[in-house]
Amino acid sequence: MASTDTREVGRAINHCARFLDLLIEAPTDQDLYAHLLGTNVCNRRLCPWCEWRRSVRWKRRIEAGLDLLVELSPSHGPVLLRLGGGT
């Protein structure tokens, strides 16, 4: 049973984000900029593409929260607490 689940996850990751729907902006005096309009993703935890997207989303949420903290309480500051082992 586990091998079929593993195969299923592998197939989903293999087919993840094969096609991207992009809008390319090409201003005359600047570099090209691509906007991701859509894609077909697998949302598996082991998928590098989906994990990268998830980390970008969390980064945006944290930055927005820190901006709001500074706006509402200018005398307070954020504290970074990192939990976990390792060196």
Side-chain angles (χ1 to χ4, degrees):
M1 189 68 167
S3 64
T4 58
D5 292 341
T6 303
R7 251 185 251 127
E8 168 93 18
V9 170
R11 280 191 194 110
I13 291 172
N14 185 40
H15 295 294
C16 181
R18 281 199 169 181
F19 300 100
L20 303 175
D21 188 12
L22 297 173
L23 173 66
I24 308 290
E25 287 186 22
T28 55
D29 59 340
Q30 298 175 358
D31 292 334
L32 294 175
Y33 188 75
H35 297 277
L36 180 63
L37 299 177
T39 185
N40 186 14
V41 294
C42 67
N43 288 322
R44 306 291 174 131
R45 293 299 248 171
L46 296 174
C47 177
W49 172 258
C50 294
E51 277 301 304
W52 172 77
R53 291 176 62 244
R54 194 174 286 115
S55 69
V56 169
R57 198 167 39 241
W58 273 105
K59 180 183 174 205
R60 265 189 265 132
R61 288 182 68 184
I62 289 171
E63 287 174 347
L66 290 176
D67 290 342
L68 184 62
L69 173 69
V70 169
E71 182 182 315
L72 295 177
S73 304
S75 62
H76 293 77
V79 174
L80 177 63
L81 174 64
R82 181 176 175 200
L83 302 175
T87 55

